[in-house]
Protein backbone atom coordinates (compact mmCIF):
# COMPACT_ATOMS: atom_id res chain seq x y z
CA UNK A 1 0.00 0.00 0.00
CA UNK A 2 1.27 3.45 -0.94
CA UNK A 3 1.72 5.80 2.03
CA UNK A 4 1.28 9.53 1.68
CA UNK A 5 4.50 11.50 1.89
CA UNK A 6 4.65 13.82 4.89
CA UNK A 7 5.85 16.56 2.50
CA UNK A 8 2.62 16.31 0.50
CA UNK A 9 0.29 16.49 3.45
CA UNK A 10 2.24 18.80 5.80
CA UNK A 11 0.03 21.81 5.09
CA UNK A 12 -3.07 19.90 6.14
CA UNK A 13 -1.96 18.35 9.42
CA UNK A 14 -3.66 21.21 11.29
CA UNK A 15 -6.89 20.59 9.35
CA UNK A 16 -6.92 16.91 10.29
CA UNK A 17 -6.16 17.60 13.94
CA UNK A 18 -8.76 20.37 14.22
CA UNK A 19 -11.36 18.13 12.56
CA UNK A 20 -10.78 15.52 15.25
CA UNK A 21 -11.20 18.17 17.97
CA UNK A 22 -14.49 19.57 16.62
CA UNK A 23 -16.66 17.22 18.71
CA UNK A 24 -14.57 16.81 21.85
CA UNK A 25 -11.16 17.43 23.38
CA UNK A 26 -8.54 14.74 22.88
CA UNK A 27 -4.88 13.93 23.49
CA UNK A 28 -1.94 13.24 21.20
CA UNK A 29 -1.89 9.46 21.09
CA UNK A 30 -5.63 9.24 20.43
CA UNK A 31 -5.45 11.83 17.65
CA UNK A 32 -2.54 9.97 16.05
CA UNK A 33 -4.48 6.71 16.25
CA UNK A 34 -7.60 8.29 14.72
CA UNK A 35 -5.63 9.78 11.81
CA UNK A 36 -4.14 6.38 11.05
CA UNK A 37 -7.54 4.70 11.31
CA UNK A 38 -9.45 7.27 9.22
CA UNK A 39 -6.83 7.10 6.46
CA UNK A 40 -6.78 3.28 6.51
CA UNK A 41 -3.10 3.46 7.44
CA UNK A 42 -2.16 5.57 4.39
CA UNK A 43 -0.96 8.36 6.65
CA UNK A 44 0.73 7.99 10.00
CA UNK A 45 1.54 11.30 11.64
CA UNK A 46 4.91 11.38 13.38
CA UNK A 47 4.91 12.25 17.07
CA UNK A 48 7.24 15.22 16.54
CA UNK A 49 5.00 16.53 13.75
CA UNK A 50 1.92 16.17 15.93
CA UNK A 51 3.34 17.93 18.96
CA UNK A 52 4.90 20.74 16.94
CA UNK A 53 1.45 21.24 15.36
CA UNK A 54 -0.12 21.42 18.84
CA UNK A 55 2.46 24.00 19.92
CA UNK A 56 1.99 26.10 16.78
CA UNK A 57 -1.80 25.94 16.97
CA UNK A 58 -1.80 26.79 20.67
CA UNK A 59 0.49 29.77 20.02
CA UNK A 60 -1.91 30.91 17.27
CA UNK A 61 -4.96 30.51 19.52
CA UNK A 62 -6.52 27.63 17.55
CA UNK A 63 -6.39 25.14 20.44
CA UNK A 64 -6.09 25.27 24.20
CA UNK A 65 -4.42 22.60 26.30
CA UNK A 66 -5.33 21.35 29.74
CA UNK A 67 -4.20 18.50 31.97
CA UNK A 68 -6.52 15.79 33.16
CA UNK A 69 -6.16 12.40 34.83
CA UNK A 70 -6.82 9.43 32.54
CA UNK A 71 -8.63 6.26 33.64
CA UNK A 72 -5.25 4.67 34.39
CA UNK A 73 -4.42 7.51 36.79
CA UNK A 74 -1.75 9.06 34.57
CA UNK A 75 -1.90 12.77 33.85
CA UNK A 76 -2.51 13.60 30.18
CA UNK A 77 -2.45 16.81 28.20
CA UNK A 78 -5.68 17.29 26.30
CA UNK A 79 -6.37 19.78 23.52
CA UNK A 80 -9.62 21.49 22.64
CA UNK A 81 -10.45 23.63 19.65
CA UNK A 82 -11.21 27.32 20.20
CA UNK A 83 -13.64 29.51 18.25
CA UNK A 84 -10.63 30.94 16.41
CA UNK A 85 -9.58 27.36 15.62
CA UNK A 86 -13.04 26.60 14.20
CA UNK A 87 -12.75 29.60 11.88
CA UNK A 88 -9.24 28.54 10.85
CA UNK A 89 -10.53 25.01 10.17
CA UNK A 90 -13.24 26.42 7.86
CA UNK A 91 -10.63 28.51 6.01
CA UNK A 92 -8.36 25.48 5.58
CA UNK A 93 -11.28 23.45 4.20
CA UNK A 94 -12.03 26.17 1.63
CA UNK A 95 -8.33 26.34 0.77
CA UNK A 96 -8.29 22.57 0.24
CA UNK A 97 -11.02 22.68 -2.40
CA UNK A 98 -9.07 25.31 -4.34
CA UNK A 99 -5.80 23.38 -3.92
CA UNK A 100 -7.47 20.16 -5.05
CA UNK A 101 -8.85 21.85 -8.20
CA UNK A 102 -5.43 23.31 -9.05
CA UNK A 103 -3.55 20.03 -8.58
CA UNK A 104 -6.17 18.02 -10.47
CA UNK A 105 -5.46 20.24 -13.49
CA UNK A 106 -2.10 18.46 -13.71
CA UNK A 107 -3.14 14.89 -12.95
CA UNK A 108 -3.60 12.41 -15.78
CA UNK A 109 -6.56 10.15 -15.24
Amino acid sequence: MLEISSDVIRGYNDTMILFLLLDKPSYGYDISRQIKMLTDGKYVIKETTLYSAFTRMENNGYVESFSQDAENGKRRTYYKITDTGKEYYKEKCEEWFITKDVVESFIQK
Side-chain angles (χ1 to χ4, degrees):
M1 170 177 25
L2 181 65
E3 288 186 11
I4 298 171
S5 161
S6 59
D7 290 337
V8 171
I9 207 147
R10 181 176 293 123
Y12 290 93
N13 282 324
D14 292 1
T15 308
M16 291 184 281
I17 294 165
L18 292 172
F19 170 80
L20 295 170
L21 295 175
L22 286 172
D23 292 330
K24 64 181 174 50
S26 190
Y27 55 96
Y29 175 77
D30 190 49
I31 288 173
S32 174
R33 186 186 57 78
Q34 288 183 66
I35 289 171
K36 184 177 180 180
M37 182 187 69
L38 289 171
T39 64
D40 293 324
K42 293 180 193 103
Y43 182 58
V44 177
I45 191 166
K46 294 177 182 163
E47 190 174 325
T48 54
T49 301
L50 181 62
Y51 285 98
S52 63
F54 284 141
T55 300
R56 182 181 57 257
M57 288 193 294
E58 191 163 27
N59 289 339
N60 289 327
Y62 305 147
V63 298
E64 294 175 350
S65 63
F66 61 96
S67 293
Q68 184 173 316
D69 290 332
E71 295 100 31
N72 62 8
K74 289 185 178 180
R75 201 109 175 109
R76 271 197 185 124
T77 300
Y78 284 78
Y79 298 87
K80 69 177 186 174
I81 192 169
T82 63
D83 289 339
T84 303
K86 290 176 186 175
E87 287 301 313
Y88 178 66
Y89 171 76
K90 287 179 193 174
E91 289 170 15
K92 291 298 284 181
C93 288
E94 290 171 15
E95 178 187 81
W96 167 250
F97 289 113
I98 295 167
T99 302
K100 183 174 166 264
D101 284 346
V102 168
V103 173
E104 282 183 345
S105 299
F106 300 94
I107 302 297
Q108 290 184 351
K109 296 180 183 180

